[in-house]
Structures are given as C-alpha cells and as structure tokens.
Amino acid sequence: MRLIAPSILSADFSRLGEQIRMLNQSQADWIHVDVMDGRFVPNISFGFPVMETLRQYAQKPLDVHLMIVHPEDYVERFCDAGAWSVGFHLEATDDPMPILEKIKAKGVRTCLTVNPDIDYHRLFPYLDKVDMVLLMSVFAGFGGQKFIPETIDKIKEVKKEIVSRGLHTLIEIDGGVTSANAAQIFEAGADVLVAGSSVFRSANPEQAIIEIVES
C-alpha cells in the first residue's frame, strides 16, 4: 500500500479553505491533522473548531495525530469532530488500551505513535490491537525537519513483525518525507507517508504530491 497524507500543519492558514480544496482534487489519499498542546511538544497548533471546519470542506479522510498530554480526555471529542482515524503517543500514557477502546467505540480507526527516541519495540504488544502505528522520523512538534535515516531500519523491523504475525496493521511515517526519499521509505515497508513542507512549500503542491506518489 502506498498512501500519501499531506499535513495541513504546513498549509497557509490564511488560505486554508483553498488549500483543502486543492487537496480534495489532488492525488492525496488522506489529510493529516497535527494537534499540539504546547505541553507534550513545545508548540501549539489547532483544536476542535478547526477540526469541525475541516470536516465541512475535506473530502478525504482526516487522519488526526494527537501530540498532547492526557489524550484520554480528548480522543472522543476528536472522533465526534470528524476524525477518520485518531493516533496518540505511546509515551503520553501509562496504558494505551482504555484510550484505544474509546476510539474504537466511536467507530474510528486507531493509531499508536512513538517519537524517534522511544524504543519502537514497545509498539509490538499492540500491533494486533491497532489499525496503524506511526513512527516519527523527526521529533514531534515542528515542521520542516530532516528525515532521520535510522527510521528505515525501524520500519523494516516493524514490518517484519507485522508480517510474521499475519497482521494487517499499517505503518505510517511522519517527518522529512520528500520525493527524494519516499521510494526508499515505501520499499522499507511503510504504507502511509505524511508530507508537510515538501508539499505546501512547493511551487506546485499538487505536482509535489504526484512526485511523492510516483517516486
């Protein structure tokens, strides 16, 4: 599977409606929505009002990535606000299972995420309990960072574990994705690539998406 999920964190918020319409007609598969609270990460993005606006205009699934403390307090509201999938960081909770159950109860897809400095093996016990895992290939919180090369080996190991157990869990990669490295990331076993700066800072975002898809 080779899916592309442009991150609207890198969009021009003064033209958000226009940029959502661009994504609707583009070859993007999902729209990635980064939610930051200024506590789990040192940056703040947007919350429920923007989500509800996105739901009105977006024709692609909204893939929500929560970079927040206490995700258990908010996942249901993001589901209700229009999320198609909701992911949160494993390191943000002592026990992800009750949070995953809240998301599942809303009929929304589940995702567990880890930052580059978190042992990705900690995801293995949950591979059969989530729809997707997200390996951050940069540190969460800021756009425009460079892809961490060691992520490739992590992808291969996670994919090997998924296949060996006969699972269908997707692997999503977020951070530093470009048309120059997309092929290598897909070949390592990734299913979904999140691309922010490489899409929205391009002179032709729709073409940039095509170049990532066809890399």
Side-chain angles (χ1 to χ4, degrees):
M1 189 175 294
R2 295 168 66 99
L3 304 178
I4 305 297
S7 170
I8 62 165
L9 179 65
S10 298
D12 180 349
F13 279 26
S14 70
R15 300 188 297 120
L16 189 56
E18 175 186 334
Q19 302 217 312
I20 292 298
R21 286 191 290 273
M22 179 274 294
L23 292 178
N24 286 341
Q25 66 185 21
S26 76
Q27 289 193 30
D29 298 285
W30 302 346
I31 297 174
H32 192 76
V33 184
D34 288 303
V35 177
M36 300 181 287
D37 63 0
R39 297 176 64 192
F40 183 78
V41 293
N43 208 344
I44 296 174
S45 58
F46 35 72
F48 305 112
V50 172
M51 268 294 300
E52 290 164 355
T53 299
L54 290 174
R55 176 173 60 180
Q56 294 178 33
Y57 294 99
Q59 297 171 6
K60 306 286 176 78
L62 297 177
D63 175 38
V64 177
H65 173 197
L66 300 180
M67 291 171 268
I68 64 175
V69 298
H70 303 301
E72 65 274 8
D73 294 337
Y74 300 99
V75 291
E76 291 170 308
R77 289 186 65 186
F78 277 102
C79 292
D80 292 340
W84 180 81
S85 68
V86 172
F88 59 94
H89 280 255
L90 181 59
E91 61 268 35
T93 178
D94 293 329
D95 183 4
M97 287 308 301
I99 308 174
L100 293 171
E101 291 303 327
K102 286 184 176 184
I103 299 170
K104 290 179 182 179
K106 292 287 187 178
V108 172
R109 288 159 179 79
T110 55
C111 177
L112 264 184
T113 305
V114 289
N115 259 315
D117 59 342
I118 303 299
D119 182 1
Y120 64 95
H121 293 96
R122 290 176 57 187
L123 293 170
F124 285 14
Y126 305 102
L127 290 176
D128 61 344
K129 299 174 176 63
V130 295
D131 297 296
M132 182 167 69
V133 290
L134 168 53
L135 300 175
M136 292 299 301
S137 44
V138 300
F139 282 90
F142 297 93
Q145 300 178 68
K146 290 186 178 180
F147 181 85
I148 297 173
E150 290 78 10
T151 308
I152 295 296
D153 288 335
K154 294 180 183 181
I155 298 168
K156 291 177 180 178
E157 288 299 314
V158 175
K159 191 70 169 186
K160 181 179 178 181
E161 181 71 11
I162 290 170
V163 171
S164 70
R165 292 165 60 181
L167 303 175
H168 301 285
T169 314
L170 300 182
I171 299 175
E172 184 173 38
I173 302 300
D174 184 356
V177 172
T178 68
S179 58
N181 61 21
Q184 182 186 18
I185 300 170
F186 276 131
E187 288 166 7
D191 302 288
V192 188
L193 303 189
V194 175
S197 301
S198 61
V199 170
F200 288 102
R201 294 180 188 174
S202 167
N204 186 336
E206 287 189 66
Q207 182 60 33
I209 293 170
I210 292 171
E211 290 174 0
I212 293 173
V213 172
E214 297 182 349
S215 63

